[in-house]
Structures are given as structure tokens and as C-alpha cells.
Amino acid sequence: MFCRLAVLMAEKDPQLSQRQLARDTGLDVTTVNRLFTNNFSRVDVSTIETLCNYFQKNVGDLFELRLPENIPQRKTRKRVSDDSIQV
């Protein structure tokens, strides 16, 4: 599943930030970021409804079914575990 949130945001207003979208919709900024970066495993129906209403789009405009290999991967930061820290 691919979320087109970044595309919808750019179409609505190229200056629209994730933080502003979160403020406008009442969604948590973490939720917005996970959808924006396609780093999610599930989405609440209320979140989908909120975004569809905000952008005045249908669910199919927000989400697109893609094979995993066809979803662009964004670079993520590696977390340092406590085990790898040497004192």
C-alpha cells in the first residue's frame, strides 16, 4: 500500500508542511510523518476520513495499491542500540 499524502500536500499547497497539516487536521504529527514517508503498517479509519475530508479526495486518491518492490523507499536513520555503545 502506498500513501499519496506527499503528492496531495504538494498539489494543495507546495508550502504545506507536515506540522501545519497536523495542526489543521488535529492529527498527531507522527501519524502525518509516517503516512508522508510511507512508513506505516496500518491506519485508523478516522485518520483516513480526516485526510480525505481535508483534501476533499476519495480514499483511492489517498492510497494506492502497489507491489512492495514498486514503492519508493526513503532513507531512514539507523538507531544506535545500547548493546553497540562501548564504554
Side-chain angles (χ1 to χ4, degrees), residues 47-75:
T47 298
I48 296 169
E49 289 174 342
T50 298
L51 291 171
C52 286
N53 288 331
Y54 180 81
F55 291 106
Q56 298 179 340
K57 299 288 186 179
N58 293 314
V59 176
D61 298 319
L62 180 60
F63 292 99
E64 178 178 302
L65 188 58
R66 291 187 183 178
L67 296 174
E69 59 269 15
N70 294 332
I71 297 176
Q73 298 297 311
R74 296 182 186 260
K75 292 184 180 180

Side-chain angles (χ1 to χ4, degrees), residues 22 25-33:
T25 59
L27 296 172
D28 188 87
V29 70
T30 303
T31 300
V32 171
N33 178 263

Side-chain angles (χ1 to χ4, degrees), residues 9 15-30 32-33 36 54:
M9 289 173 64
Q15 300 300 314
L16 180 61
S17 68
Q18 294 176 39
R19 191 172 305 274
Q20 185 61 49
L21 177 61
R23 277 194 294 262
D24 290 350
T25 59
L27 296 172
D28 188 87
V29 70
T30 303
V32 171
N33 178 263
F36 185 90
Y54 180 81

